Amino acid sequence: MESADKGYVTFMDGVRSCLPTVLGYLGTGFAFGIVGINAHLNIFEVTLMSLIIYGGSSQFVLCGLLLTNASIPGMIFTVFLVNLRHLLMSMTASPYFRNESLLQNISLGSILTDESFAVFSTTAAQEKHFTAQWMQGLNWTGYVTWFVSTLLGALVGNLIPDPNKFGFDFAITAMFVGLFIFQFQWELSKSTRKAIVVVITVAISLYLLMIVVSSALAVIIAALLGCVAGGLVHD
Amino acid sequence: MISERLLVIILGCGLVTFIPRITPFIIGKFTKFPKVVVRFLEYLPLSILGALMLETAFTVRIGQLPLVKWDVVLAMLPTVGVAVWSKDLMKTVVVGIVTMAIIRLFM
């Protein structure tokens, strides 16, 4: 594929940049639709969740909590923690769009995902010229795919009680594996030592943190420690 | 169609996922983040993707060592291989899902 600088300008360019991740959204959204129906939600409720919350792990966690006697503030706080990592991703992405209008900034941030952030970072790291329109295309393709796949999953939810049997739950892991490997190879090519130090720091701290805090918090703290390690080796 | 209780839960959860996503975009519009913060966040993509990936392989049991999900670890091996070899996210996800379906067939 030709990847001239022109490829990151229009909304449609963003749609195209999102395509490699579409299958990950599809598999995970489909699995979520099925899980939601099996958590005794109806089709309307399941898809509304995807439209309003728009966070894979948050929604799976919430379905689990709905089946327990958790309190409403407890559920909302848990979802807050699970999605808190977006604060870090938005902090990283937002400086690139500071010349855009406030409304543009808010709309870019509101549907940022792990995946769109990963595609964005790769593009930004390669010092490609990109626009807010491109980012919109990237974000919206993910959002629409998430909605459609949730709906599809919810429609067949009564027929498939256990999506895990077909490996759909692994779609998200596989997507993270791919995104991580691509990022890792890129960082290795820039600085082998730094890349390895960051990854080892994340791996060890994540494992240790998971003994004392929830996995959502462990992810945030381990990612921060990885950043600190990378920043310190920098000098 | 939807109970009031569930609507409150969904809207509340929507709000707390919305706020962390947009706040930096609003603050970043008016001020610049300190240089040191920016320098450290340079490693966020690698750190967060690594953490998210590894997290899926464990079950947390607070107070005890995390439990390894061996089916996930096993399925990760060919998935990593395909990612490195093909550099193609679609192929990586397809191989991952198929591998996991096969593993679950026997486990």
Side-chain angles (χ1 to χ4, degrees), chain A residues 7-143:
Chain A
Y8 305 88
V9 177
T10 64
F11 188 90
M12 280 315 289
D13 289 336
V15 173
R16 204 172 311 124
S17 294
C18 184
L19 289 182
T21 59
V22 155
L23 203 59
Y25 285 110
L26 268 179
T28 314
F30 189 68
F32 173 72
I34 296 171
V35 167
I37 292 297
N38 288 290
H40 315 303
L41 302 172
N42 62 40
I43 293 180
F44 176 73
E45 293 163 340
V46 174
T47 41
L48 192 70
M49 229 185 236
S50 280
L51 286 174
I52 293 182
I53 303 177
Y54 192 42
S57 22
S58 305
Q59 292 174 220
F60 280 106
V61 167
L62 183 57
C63 280
L65 289 176
L66 285 171
L67 293 173
T68 68
N69 276 328
S71 69
I72 294 181
M75 288 190 224
I76 295 176
F77 186 66
T78 306
V79 167
F80 171 72
L81 284 184
V82 172
N83 232 45
L84 190 58
R85 63 175 185 281
H86 285 85
L87 186 75
L88 297 175
M89 295 191 279
S90 284
M91 276 181 78
T92 311
S94 62
Y96 291 89
F97 301 101
R98 64 194 313 264
N99 293 327
E100 304 292 335
S101 71
L102 185 61
L103 201 65
Q104 178 79 283
N105 269 279
I106 292 175
S107 73
L108 284 174
S110 61
I111 51 170
L112 188 78
T113 64
D114 297 317
E115 295 77 22
S116 70
F117 175 71
V119 174
F120 160 82
S121 311
T122 314
T123 310
Q126 292 169 357
E127 291 176 358
K128 299 263 205 289
H129 168 73
F130 55 86
T131 65
Q133 279 314 306
W134 169 78
M135 191 71 203
Q136 292 284 12
L138 179 62
N139 272 344
W140 277 99
T141 311
Y143 190 68

Side-chain angles (χ1 to χ4, degrees), chain A residues 72-73 76, chain B residues 2-15:
Chain A
I72 294 181
I76 295 176
Chain B
I2 183 167
S3 74
E4 201 175 304
R5 177 183 145 85
L6 189 61
L7 191 63
V8 168
I9 294 170
I10 293 179
L11 290 176
C13 291
L15 194 68

